[in-house]
Amino acid sequence: MSKIIFLDVDGTLINYEGKLPDSAREAVSRARANGHRVYICTGCSKAEIMQRDLGELDGMIGGNGAYVEDHETVVMHQGLTKDEVRHIVDWCNGRHLGFYLESNSGMYCNDYMLEQGPSTMAKYALGKGADQGQAQAVAQSFVGGFILARGEELYRDDVNKISFILSTYQDHLDSRTEFPTLEANTWGGRGELALFGDLGPTGITKRHAIEVLLAYLHADRKNTISFGDAKIDLSMFECCAYNVAMGNGGEEIKAAADYVTTDVDEDGLYHAFRHLGVI
């Protein structure tokens, strides 16, 4: 029976330096050749994904569920309204927080992100096991992918979600109070350290997006497998029939998994695909 496989990206399909291990590329290629479908299910939007070499896939879920694509056919796209974007932009600028707007056309940032982003992303990479040189390279690549925008250029109507740097965890708590109708999450380094907050449309989760895609494909949930490494991936685990946590994942995702594989840099994806019999 063919399976539908959903892969988180950072820390699952690719490592924290943004590199796709050869073994992961081979695993995905062989699984698809065996008749299984493989989709990424990520917090990243399409513009960021297009900057990466992820190999051949059947489609993607992006923006933590805001965007669903099957073989370049857009199945669903539900972003923030222009008024919601304006409110978030003004709130972040008022608190002097670096942020970036995640759109399928690009990643648009404010001046604070160019100032604060490199050091924050270096912390992210160091927390995920990179050495100092690797962390600096990740930070520069991250910031280099942004388009600087100012003033009303930031009030866009094509935004999937917005990520912002946390000066303290209180910024995340305050965002939940300021934007009670939006989905508020955090992401960051090892052990689920909160370095960034993000805000997306209400009701949008990885779980909801998977359900939308399965309905579009007329596919059965019993044939689904998900892979993740962080708390944000728990919503995938709630709706898929079998769930795999990466060895580099947090304790919460491991506790919820049916199977824990090795680290992303220790051929974790390949070993799990072999264990599951899809290759």
Side-chain angles (χ1 to χ4, degrees):
M1 180 66 69
S2 62
K3 301 295 184 181
I4 303 175
I5 302 168
F6 297 97
L7 306 175
D8 172 55
V9 175
D10 294 284
T12 300
L13 177 59
I14 62 175
N15 65 20
Y16 298 114
E17 297 173 58
K19 297 177 181 176
L20 176 65
D22 290 340
S23 62
R25 185 188 301 275
E26 180 183 353
V28 171
S29 178
R30 287 176 58 185
R32 296 182 71 236
N34 288 340
H36 306 290
R37 291 174 176 260
V38 183
Y39 297 84
I40 55 171
C41 190
T42 175
C44 302
S45 292
K46 189 170 183 178
E48 188 172 357
I49 291 301
M50 295 299 289
Q51 296 177 11
R52 300 174 173 184
D53 174 18
L54 302 184
E56 293 295 321
L57 297 156
D58 290 288
M60 70 171 290
I61 291 171
N64 280 337
Y67 179 77
V68 181
E69 181 181 284
D70 174 61
H71 293 100
E72 300 186 0
T73 295
V74 178
V75 177
M76 183 190 79
H77 191 189
Q78 181 178 336
L80 295 163
T81 69
K82 189 171 184 178
D83 285 343
E84 288 169 338
V85 172
R86 181 190 301 270
H87 187 181
I88 298 168
V89 165
D90 291 347
W91 182 81
C92 287
N93 276 331
R95 297 171 79 101
H96 307 288
L97 301 176
F99 66 82
Y100 62 102
L101 314 179
E102 301 182 40
S103 163
N104 288 349
S105 63
M107 296 183 293
Y108 304 88
C109 77
N110 64 349
D111 288 283
Y112 294 125
M113 176 55 73
L114 297 184
E115 299 168 12
Q116 303 163 8
S119 61
T120 305
M121 277 309 294
K123 289 178 186 176
Y124 170 84
L126 289 169
K128 296 298 188 178
D131 61 31
Q132 191 65 48
Q134 292 167 333
Q136 291 302 321
V138 168
Q140 290 306 314
S141 175
F142 175 72
V143 174
F146 292 142
I147 301 167
L148 177 64
R150 297 187 174 102
E152 295 205 358
E153 293 176 336
L154 289 164
Y155 300 152
R156 302 183 62 86
D157 60 4
D158 62 348
V159 177
N160 297 328
K161 68 184 180 76
I162 298 176
S163 287
F164 57 94
I165 292 174
L166 300 174
S167 60
T168 70
Y169 192 74
Q170 190 62 44
D171 290 324
H172 166 61
L173 297 178
D174 290 348
S175 77
R176 294 173 64 181
T177 301
E178 184 74 16
F179 306 99
T181 64
L182 301 182
E183 297 286 343
N185 297 295
T186 64
W187 56 278
R190 187 175 297 278
E192 306 292 343
L193 175 66
L195 296 174
F196 287 85
D198 66 41
L199 291 160
T202 184
I204 291 299
T205 64
K206 290 186 176 185
R207 172 178 179 167
H208 173 69
I210 289 173
E211 291 171 344
V212 168
L213 180 58
L214 292 179
Y216 171 79
L217 296 173
H218 304 289
D220 197 318
R221 173 187 173 277
K222 69 181 182 182
N223 297 318
T224 56
I225 305 169
S226 74
F227 285 72
D229 74 312
K231 187 163 58 179
I232 192 68
D233 300 317
L234 289 172
S235 69
M236 285 199 295
F237 282 24
E238 292 170 1
C239 68
C240 289
Y242 195 89
N243 303 292
V244 179
M246 304 302 292
N248 46 277
E251 292 307 312
E252 193 169 354
I253 197 77
K254 289 179 179 177
D258 297 297
Y259 178 72
V260 179
T261 187
T262 53
D263 284 26
V264 61
D265 279 321
E266 295 174 354
D267 303 324
L269 205 69
Y270 184 89
H271 290 317
F273 274 36
R274 285 285 301 272
H275 173 78
L276 293 167
V278 296
I279 60 173

